[in-house]
Amino acid sequence: MAAAQGRLSDGAGGMDDAKEKKEEDRNAAETAPGPFRAAVEALRAARPRPGIEIDPTRPPQRLAPYSYALEAAVVADDEDLADGRLVLLHDPAGHDAWQGSFRLVTLVRAELEPEMAADPLLPEVCWSWLTGALQARGLSYGEASGTVTRASSHYFGGLAERPAASQIEIRASWTPREGLGGVPDTAAHLAGWCDLLCQIAGLPPVTPGDASVVTLPQRRGPQSR
């Protein structure tokens, strides 16, 4: 997964990119509608559970008039177990496909043992983790859609000593229902998303939950960051 491939940030970054992004963020903040600014501030103020590292990252530029993005990793002993990106989109005019003016888009990835990846029910289980994480937080949302992809890599020749590797990837989007002032509870949606990230990493819930909830067992070991 990303632990082996690097974090999900676009490009090499560096001081020049960071300065440019900071300037872009400042300009966007000055022109963005109030509901979007409030939704972004809620994301910035949120505090994830221990073991999750969250950083802002460059959002996609052409999906909506306004966007904001975060990337996160579940970290244990300075190693990544899973990571992902969460993007907030906003179109003040509304969007027919979204059935609203806000949209959350995510990518979550983790590595699996090959035998776990072979489970025919794995895609359905992983999708239920996403919807279940939102429902467990009591969140109202609509128009959820996405894909669950599993992939395996086998190495040959000069790479033959590497063990086979398998990944699970969830790509999804949903419309958070807007609350007071037309602002969705983005902090709560972020918390639910972090729950999903921890679940796919194989970590137990923060608080006792439904015993029927299944998490992925710890994989062959965390990958170097």
Side-chain angles (χ1 to χ4, degrees):
M1 61 155 264
Q5 300 172 8
R7 291 291 180 87
L8 295 164
S9 295
D10 298 328
M15 294 298 294
D16 290 341
D17 285 351
K19 183 177 180 180
E20 180 182 350
K21 182 181 184 303
K22 187 174 182 180
E23 184 65 27
E24 289 176 354
D25 289 347
R26 184 183 299 111
N27 293 338
E30 293 174 353
T31 59
F36 179 73
R37 294 201 304 271
V40 169
E41 284 305 313
L43 290 175
R44 289 173 172 164
R47 295 293 178 264
R49 61 176 279 185
I52 299 181
E53 296 182 358
I54 295 182
D55 295 295
T57 189
R58 184 181 296 275
Q61 301 298 307
R62 292 181 290 274
L63 296 181
Y66 303 95
S67 60
Y68 181 78
L70 297 168
E71 64 176 10
V74 179
V75 180
D77 298 325
D78 203 34
E79 306 286 348
D80 287 3
L81 298 177
D83 69 7
R85 175 182 289 176
L86 184 68
V87 180
L88 175 68
L89 305 176
H90 179 53
D91 186 341
H95 196 294
D96 291 341
W98 301 352
Q99 293 297 299
S101 63
F102 283 91
R103 188 75 169 171
L104 285 164
V105 182
T106 187
L107 163 64
V108 173
R109 305 186 296 188
E111 285 194 357
L112 305 173
E113 291 290 353
E115 56 270 22
M116 176 63 67
D119 186 342
L121 296 179
L122 184 64
E124 288 80 5
V125 170
C126 288
W127 183 255
S128 74
W129 290 346
L130 169 62
T131 57
L134 298 177
Q135 292 165 4
R137 293 277 177 175
L139 295 170
S140 178
Y141 67 96
E143 308 304 318
S145 61
T147 62
V148 177
T149 304
R150 50 187 167 185
S152 297
S153 298
H154 299 267
Y155 299 94
F156 302 93
L159 301 177
E161 293 184 358
R162 293 189 184 182
S166 298
Q167 299 178 354
I168 192 74
E169 179 181 278
I170 303 173
R171 293 179 180 267
S173 62
W174 65 94
T175 299
R177 296 308 184 201
E178 298 165 17
L180 187 65
V183 182
D185 189 350
T186 49
H189 281 269
L190 175 60
W193 180 74
C194 287
D195 292 342
L196 167 67
L197 198 62
C198 288
Q199 194 164 22
I200 199 172
L203 299 186
V206 176
T207 56
D210 186 347
S212 66
V213 173
V214 178
T215 59
L216 289 177
Q218 183 62 52
R219 290 160 288 284
R220 71 170 55 84
Q223 303 295 313
S224 297
R225 294 171 65 185

